Amino acid sequence: MTNPYAIVIARHGGPEVLERHDVAPLTAGAGEVRVRVTHVALNHLDTWVRRGVPGHDFGLPRIPGSDVAGEIDGRAVVLHPGWGCGSCAACLAGRQNRCLGYRLRGENTDGGLRSEVVVPAWQCLPVPPGLTPAQACALPLTLLTAWHMLVARARLQRGERVLVQAGGSGVGVMAIQIALLHGCEVHATASTLERRERLRALGATPWSYEQIGKKGGDESGPRGFDVVCESVGEATWEASVRALKWGGRLVICGATSGAEAKINLRALFFKQLDLLGSTMGASAELLTAWGEVAAGRIKPVIHAILPLSRLAEGHAMLEDRAAFGKIVIAMETE
Ligand SMILES: [Zn+2]
C-alpha cells in the first residue's frame, strides 16, 4: 500500500505547483465515512484554483479535486461536489447553491485529489450499475451545473430550440443530453470538424463558432434560439446574445475565455431577453439528475483516463480546450 498522499497547491502557477505530499492518515467521526479514492475527474475549476483568479482568495494551501469516485468496504461511490451550511434560509428552502456558506469540494474546501477522504455519509452517491467508477466520477459537477442551468434557471420547455456553446466541454456534453431529454431541438458549437462530428453523434446539430448569430442567417439555422447555454464568456458572448430569438433566455455558468462582456442594451430591451446567471445547483437536483444517469438516459463522455503521474498533462488539455468531454485521473491505489 502507498502511504497516504495528497496533491497540494501551495502557491498559484503552472502545472509545476501541483505538488505531491505525504499526509497523515484520516479518521472518520460520527456520521462520516472514509473513502479510498480511486478516480478524480478534472474540471476547468481545477485550472482556476491552480492558476489563481485576480481578486479571489482560494485559501491556499488547497487540495483540488471536485469530482471524486472511491470505495468504502468494496462499495463504489461518487461524492456530492458541493453542499450548503444546512441551516440558513437558502439551505432550508433546498437552494444550497444560494447559501453564503456554500462549499465546493476542491475550491473553498479541500478536494479529493488524495489517497483517501473523510466525508459525511450522505455525500456518497452509489455508482449506478453499468458504469465504472471512472465513468461515474466524470458526471457530478458538470451534470449538476448543466441541470440547474437548463431545468431550474432556463426552465426548458419541450420543443424549444437550444444552443449549447462549447458543446464538447464538460458542461456542454451534459447540457446537450439534458436538453434532448427535455424534448428540445439541440444545436451546439465546436471548433473543428472532428469535434462537430462528435456533437452530431450526441444528437446535436453542429455549428462552427463563426456561424453563430450571423446577420442574414435564417431562424432554422444558427440563430433564433429560445435558450443559449453559455460557459465560454468573452469570446462568444456577443454572438450568443445575437443568436437569441425575441423573448429568448441566455443562461451562463462560466467564462473560460474571460469575464469582460459588452451588451447592447437596446437589443436587451427590444428583444425582451432574459440573462440568467447560474452556479452549481441544489443537492436535490443532483439526486434527480442521478436518477436519469441510473436509468441510462444521461451518459458520461470521457476524453481520456490518465494516471496521476500525468495530471499536469490533463490540466494542459483542459487549458488548450483539447478535450472532448472529461479527463479522469486514475489515482494510485496499490
Ligand atoms: Zn446555508
Side-chain angles (χ1 to χ4, degrees):
M1 289 291 285
T2 48
N3 289 325
Y5 65 87
I7 304 302
V8 180
I9 297 171
R11 61 196 161 85
H12 294 302
E16 71 283 355
V17 304
L18 298 161
E19 289 181 355
R20 179 176 170 146
H21 291 275
D22 288 334
V23 294
L26 301 172
T27 45
E32 293 180 329
V33 288
R34 197 165 68 132
V35 180
R36 193 173 69 100
V37 179
T38 57
H39 299 86
V40 178
L42 299 181
N43 290 284
H44 276 284
L45 174 63
D46 294 74
T47 67
W48 295 120
V49 175
R50 195 206 75 219
R51 287 205 302 264
V53 173
H56 186 83
D57 181 7
F58 287 100
L60 303 188
R62 176 68 65 223
I63 298 170
S66 310
D67 277 326
V68 182
E71 62 168 32
I72 310 165
D73 302 327
R75 186 166 58 95
V77 297
V78 296
L79 305 184
H80 274 256
W83 58 94
C85 73
S87 55
C88 72
C91 284
L92 293 172
R95 294 176 152 184
Q96 289 83 7
N97 55 331
R98 294 191 184 180
C99 172
L100 294 180
Y102 189 74
R103 294 287 166 197
L104 177 48
R105 197 184 302 285
E107 198 249 352
N108 56 10
T109 188
D110 277 338
L113 208 58
R114 56 188 305 169
S115 52
E116 57 179 12
V117 286
V118 165
V119 298
W122 74 264
Q123 290 183 0
C124 299
L125 289 163
V127 170
L131 289 190
T132 63
Q135 290 172 320
C137 88
L139 289 162
L141 189 146
T142 50
L143 172 65
L144 177 58
T145 298
W147 189 275
H148 187 71
M149 289 175 86
L150 294 178
V151 181
R153 299 293 279 143
R155 297 173 182 272
L156 283 190
Q157 303 295 313
R158 177 164 294 277
E160 287 192 316
R161 296 182 77 234
V162 177
L163 172 68
V164 179
Q165 291 277 32
S169 67
V171 167
V173 297
M174 287 297 114
I176 288 169
Q177 295 183 72
I178 291 164
L180 288 168
L181 190 62
H182 284 78
C184 295
E185 178 191 318
V186 183
H187 300 247
T189 47
S191 53
T192 67
L193 203 56
E194 189 213 336
R195 294 172 72 85
R196 290 196 284 277
E197 281 311 308
R198 299 195 64 178
L199 293 179
R200 195 186 299 281
L202 279 177
T205 301
W207 300 99
S208 70
Y209 289 102
E210 293 72 27
Q211 289 172 294
I212 295 303
K214 258 190 175 169
K215 281 203 170 68
D218 74 64
E219 301 230 329
S220 63
R223 57 181 290 160
F225 293 101
D226 297 284
V227 172
V228 175
C229 178
E230 253 289 344
S231 59
V232 181
E234 232 170 272
T236 52
W237 174 259
E238 286 181 58
S240 288
V241 173
R242 275 200 308 275
L244 288 168
K245 72 191 294 190
W246 286 52
R249 295 99 79 198
L250 190 157
V251 61
I252 180 163
C253 73
T256 52
S257 68
E260 299 297 323
K262 280 198 310 190
I263 187 156
N264 182 324
L265 293 175
R266 289 190 191 93
L268 179 63
F269 62 73
F270 273 128
K271 287 176 76 178
Q272 301 154 66
L273 306 178
D274 285 342
L275 303 181
L276 305 165
S278 190
T279 194
M280 299 301 286
S283 303
E285 290 178 288
L286 183 56
L287 297 186
T288 303
W290 207 246
E292 301 295 340
V293 173
R297 289 190 287 264
I298 294 176
K299 295 185 169 67
V301 178
I302 294 180
H303 180 76
I305 301 176
L306 303 176
L308 181 59
S309 58
R310 291 171 67 188
L311 174 63
E313 200 179 320
H315 273 237
M317 284 178 181
L318 275 186
E319 290 176 297
D320 297 342
R321 301 175 68 168
F324 189 97
K326 302 291 286 183
I327 294 163
V328 175
I329 301 298
M331 302 300 280
E332 291 168 18
T333 53
E334 292 307 318

